[in-house]
Amino acid sequence: MAKDYSRTQRLGEQIKRDLAQMLQFQVKDPRLGLVTLNAVKVATDLGYADIYFTVMKPGMVEADEPTIKETEKVLNDMAGFLRTELSQIMKTRITPLPRFHYDISLERGHKLTNLINKATREDKDRNPGE
């Protein structure tokens, strides 16, 4: 039986915390907006870590496609630097290579919530007595 909280999950949480601090305090790239790390999935062989993020630029409500693509490219270009910095912080023999992906789950959640709200409003309009 597998453990409830495996080593790769613990390592993923540690990577998420450390990378969030690095992106906030050490990385001074003006092309990056406000990057939020949502989830980290570490491979079982610790070869790589898939990191899911969202991004906002100042004055924007939602990130547009060019902003997302540029942020993803910048983060993946600095993956080697971030791996080196992680290896100095973490006490593991192998440091996973970060691979950044935009997290679309929040957008999907907003769209589904809007659809549900629209459907309930239409249902109430059709059946006002219930």
Side-chain angles (χ1 to χ4, degrees), residues 15-33:
I15 289 171
K16 182 177 158 185
R17 279 192 303 270
D18 292 341
L19 277 180
Q21 286 189 345
M22 273 191 262
L23 290 173
Q24 185 177 6
F25 298 115
Q26 291 179 340
V27 176
K28 302 293 182 199
D29 196 322
R31 297 173 292 177
L32 291 178

Side-chain angles (χ1 to χ4, degrees), residues 81-99:
F81 165 75
L82 294 173
R83 183 182 192 181
T84 303
E85 294 296 313
L86 275 175
S87 69
Q88 294 175 3
I89 296 170
M90 296 172 48
K91 303 295 183 211
T92 58
R93 190 173 61 122
I94 299 172
T95 303
L97 177 67
R99 298 189 307 190

Side-chain angles (χ1 to χ4, degrees), residues 1-99:
M1 187 168 138
K3 294 181 184 177
D4 290 339
Y5 198 59
S6 69
R7 179 172 186 249
T8 55
Q9 288 174 325
R10 291 191 309 268
L11 190 61
E13 288 298 316
Q14 182 67 39
I15 289 171
K16 182 177 158 185
R17 279 192 303 270
D18 292 341
L19 277 180
Q21 286 189 345
M22 273 191 262
L23 290 173
Q24 185 177 6
F25 298 115
Q26 291 179 340
V27 176
K28 302 293 182 199
D29 196 322
R31 297 173 292 177
L32 291 178
L34 178 63
V35 176
T36 304
L37 304 180
N38 296 338
V40 177
K41 293 182 182 175
V42 179
T44 54
D45 66 350
L46 305 181
Y48 60 88
D50 288 319
I51 301 164
Y52 297 91
F53 70 94
T54 55
V55 63
M56 287 183 61
K57 290 263 185 167
M60 294 178 66
V61 176
E62 268 185 32
D64 54 353
E65 192 67 27
T67 302
I68 293 168
K69 294 289 184 192
E70 181 181 18
T71 303
E72 191 169 3
K73 182 182 181 326
V74 169
L75 288 172
N76 282 315
D77 287 347
M78 68 172 58
F81 165 75
L82 294 173
R83 183 182 192 181
T84 303
E85 294 296 313
L86 275 175
S87 69
Q88 294 175 3
I89 296 170
M90 296 172 48
K91 303 295 183 211
T92 58
R93 190 173 61 122
I94 299 172
T95 303
L97 177 67
R99 298 189 307 190

